[in-house]
Amino acid sequence: MTRLFLVLLSINMGFSVKAVEPFDDATGKLGLAGGLGGGAGAWGDFNNDGWVDLYVQNRLWRNEGGVKFTQVKDHGIVGNGGLWGDYNNDGLLDLYVWGTGNLYRNVDGKSFVDETAKQPKRIMPVSRGACWGDFDGDGFIDLYIGGYEKPGYHPDAIYHNNGDGTFSFQWKTPGTIRPARGITAADFDDDGDLDVYVSNYRIAPNMLWQNDGKGVFKNVADTHNAAGDHSNLGAWGHTIGSCFGDLDNDGLLDIFVGNFSHPPAYQDRPMFLRNMGPKHEYHFEDMSKNAGLVWQESFGSPTLGDFDNDGHVDFYYTTVYGGDHSVLYRNNSKWSFSDVTTEAGIPKIVCYQAAWADFDNDGDLDLLSGGILWRNTSSSKNKNHWLKIKMQGGGKINQAAIGTVVRIKLTDQILTRQVSSATGEGNQNDLTLHFGLGAQAEDVELAITWPGGAKQSVTTSVDKALTIKYAP
């Protein structure tokens, strides 16, 4: 009766009520029951068959055409918390396990070899996250690894990819050591290289490492208003995971800071930081006040994705204490967000696990969280258009194209996506870029910025998946 009343009201009053299509628990139907745990998950097509696979809780799951997953036995990978990236540029995704520091080389899309001995022993005994990125522009992805604690705090470090299958120690956190949780990277200042954002715990300010293009970093978090705190007002951040994304469709990459915050006022709440662009030297503005995010104490790992294909990037945010629950927020545009968790059919989940991928290739993003694979039913019920793009490097561009930015200019907005190897705390979305396009049915032009700043333009029709190769 309530739904009927809303429909009639929308007709009589001349406005529409935007429905939220539900997510289905597809875990059992896909053969995944009991096999997804609750730890960080990493989506990646390790066998290049066009169907994204999944590594989670020391289990490797092969996607069989979007209708089921098969556990790969004897894959040789050990450890929780993995991130996919093609470190040797052979066209096959390799895996770094940040939980243990192990590196696994993909041999043939079927098996993996432990190459941990080809990197120095890492300087941090404990890590909660890492990310891949070609920080010095040599065409090979390096590793930024966060250092956590116990005993004491551990420094972060960068391990340089030497291009011959080996890694060497390059850099560690200078000055004050802070306990890192989530690590993520993006070209926030649009200069063609990857910068790194570090979510620090224990009421320590976060770090925004600005890259000079040669792998030399400067922490600009304080000067750019990106530390995730208001220390000048007596409030400090306490962050588990953060993520980059264009939240207002202005072509610039913003930051969502995922602050865990106990009740006392001295701890900051999660923060929406708007990238103010070149006129303001890419400083950030806090847009949190009217965003609509309802406080919960144990917010953990966020991840961004346009689940309803309306062209606005939404976000899912986990919690880790009993009594709290993870939430799905729809982006209403203009820095306003609505909690649509219940309407979407997602129950009260408590976990650190949150990662998006279109596992069934139907054009909408599905969600891994709480040991459950939530299948998105939006594409079969709404008329919004979409586009999926697999970027492929070559030459001086790393093969997995990590760090590549793609923009689509529509009438009054610019949609922006970047190939990223990590989100939140230790999770990884699919490397394939996903654009919701709303009512855009005509062809679109893709403005591509490859790592290093090279530009490429491609025009394509919508409602399809395509691969774009680097064309120097």
Side-chain angles (χ1 to χ4, degrees):
M1 185 66 182
T2 301
R3 172 176 285 185
L4 177 60
F5 173 75
L6 287 172
V7 171
L8 291 175
L9 179 63
S10 68
I11 294 172
N12 293 332
M13 296 298 292
F15 63 88
S16 61
V17 176
K18 187 174 182 181
V20 177
E21 306 298 346
F23 285 76
D24 292 337
D25 179 353
T27 315
K29 297 175 183 177
L30 295 167
L32 293 165
L36 297 180
W43 291 101
D45 183 6
F46 74 86
N47 59 356
N48 286 338
D49 65 351
W51 300 91
V52 65
D53 311 298
L54 178 63
Y55 180 77
V56 60
Q57 294 288 98
N58 200 29
R59 296 184 178 95
L60 180 62
W61 294 97
R62 184 175 59 242
N63 187 340
E64 309 284 2
V67 296
K68 70 174 182 177
F69 284 77
T70 300
Q71 187 172 353
V72 179
K73 303 291 186 180
D74 303 320
H75 50 70
I77 301 172
V78 177
N80 294 325
L83 297 170
W84 298 103
D86 184 3
Y87 78 87
N88 57 359
N89 288 341
D90 66 350
L92 296 168
L93 289 178
D94 313 296
L95 191 74
Y96 177 73
V97 181
W98 50 259
T100 59
N102 287 32
L103 177 67
Y104 295 94
R105 177 170 57 88
N106 189 336
V107 177
D108 51 9
K110 301 177 182 178
S111 58
F112 294 81
V113 172
D114 188 343
E115 301 282 20
T116 307
K118 293 187 177 180
Q119 56 179 351
K121 182 179 180 181
R122 67 184 193 182
I123 62 174
M124 65 289 293
V126 181
S127 177
R128 299 286 299 232
C131 72
W132 292 104
D134 180 9
F135 301 122
D136 57 358
D138 66 354
F140 293 89
I141 52 174
D142 312 297
L143 273 170
Y144 186 110
I145 306 171
Y148 190 45
E149 61 180 14
K150 294 183 181 179
Y153 296 163
H154 309 311
D156 302 348
I158 293 176
Y159 290 87
H160 178 258
N161 188 334
N162 298 319
D164 59 0
T166 68
F167 289 77
S168 57
F169 171 79
Q170 176 178 324
W171 173 92
K172 69 176 180 179
T173 311
T176 303
I177 305 302
R178 303 168 185 172
R181 299 286 294 253
I183 311 292
T184 190
D187 184 10
F188 83 90
D189 53 1
D190 204 22
D191 63 353
D193 56 53
L194 277 177
D195 312 292
V196 178
Y197 193 76
V198 181
S199 297
N200 290 313
Y201 203 53
R202 304 298 179 198
I203 319 180
N206 296 337
M207 294 178 289
L208 176 59
W209 293 106
Q210 189 173 40
N211 190 351
D212 71 350
K214 299 178 182 179
V216 178
F217 291 88
K218 178 183 179 181
N219 181 19
V220 298
D222 288 334
T223 59
H224 285 55
N225 191 34
D229 63 17
H230 290 115
S231 54
N232 60 322
L233 301 176
W236 287 265
H238 195 47
T239 318
I240 288 180
S242 304
C243 44
F244 283 101
D246 186 0
L247 291 164
D248 56 357
N249 288 349
D250 65 351
L252 299 165
L253 293 170
D254 312 298
I255 305 174
F256 177 76
V257 181
N259 281 335
F260 184 107
S261 53
H262 298 302
Y266 68 83
Q267 290 195 354
D268 262 317
R269 306 307 187 228
M271 302 173 76
F272 294 87
L273 301 180
R274 181 176 75 89
N275 189 333
M276 295 193 291
K279 290 184 179 180
H280 299 275
E281 299 180 327
Y282 298 95
H283 290 204
F284 292 85
E285 177 186 11
D286 186 358
M287 304 296 289
S288 309
K289 183 177 180 180
N290 299 312
L293 181 64
V294 177
W295 174 81
Q296 293 187 79
E297 182 177 5
S298 67
F299 275 133
S301 189
T303 183
L304 299 176
D306 182 3
F307 79 88
D308 54 3
N309 284 344
D310 68 350
H312 300 284
V313 176
D314 314 294
F315 75 101
Y316 180 82
Y317 197 9
T318 74
T319 57
V320 299
Y321 281 0
D324 292 339
H325 66 277
S326 303
V327 288
L328 176 65
Y329 275 90
R330 184 181 61 208
N331 187 341
N332 303 316
S333 79
K334 299 181 180 179
W335 297 97
S336 168
F337 299 85
S338 297
D339 182 349
V340 294
T341 315
T342 300
E343 297 95 314
I346 300 175
K348 294 183 176 181
I349 295 173
V350 176
C351 69
Y352 287 100
Q353 185 185 79
W356 296 103
D358 179 13
F359 80 86
D360 51 3
N361 287 346
D362 65 351
D364 55 35
L365 289 173
D366 310 294
L367 176 67
L368 171 71
S369 185
I372 297 172
L373 182 47
W374 299 97
R375 178 164 44 201
N376 191 342
T377 65
S378 294
S379 63
S380 63
K381 298 179 180 179
N382 69 36
K383 296 181 180 180
N384 289 337
H385 298 281
W386 55 273
L387 195 61
K388 288 176 59 174
I389 310 166
K390 179 180 179 181
M391 306 303 299
Q392 185 175 314
K396 280 290 187 179
I397 307 299
N398 70 89
Q399 192 70 20
I402 290 171
T404 302
V405 179
V406 179
R407 294 180 173 92
I408 298 176
K409 190 177 188 307
L410 302 181
T411 303
D412 58 350
Q413 55 191 335
I414 303 172
L415 312 186
T416 309
R417 305 289 186 271
Q418 178 171 283
V419 183
S420 177
S421 71
T423 187
E425 187 189 45
N427 291 285
Q428 183 177 32
N429 297 328
D430 186 7
L431 293 168
T432 299
L433 299 179
H434 170 270
F435 286 86
L437 297 172
Q440 177 70 29
E442 296 77 21
D443 291 0
V444 295
E445 182 178 1
L446 312 178
I448 302 165
T449 303
W450 297 93
K455 307 288 185 179
Q456 188 175 346
S457 179
V458 175
T459 299
T460 180
S461 56
V462 303
D463 297 334
K464 62 188 282 188
L466 69 156
T467 298
I468 298 177
K469 298 181 180 180
Y470 173 61

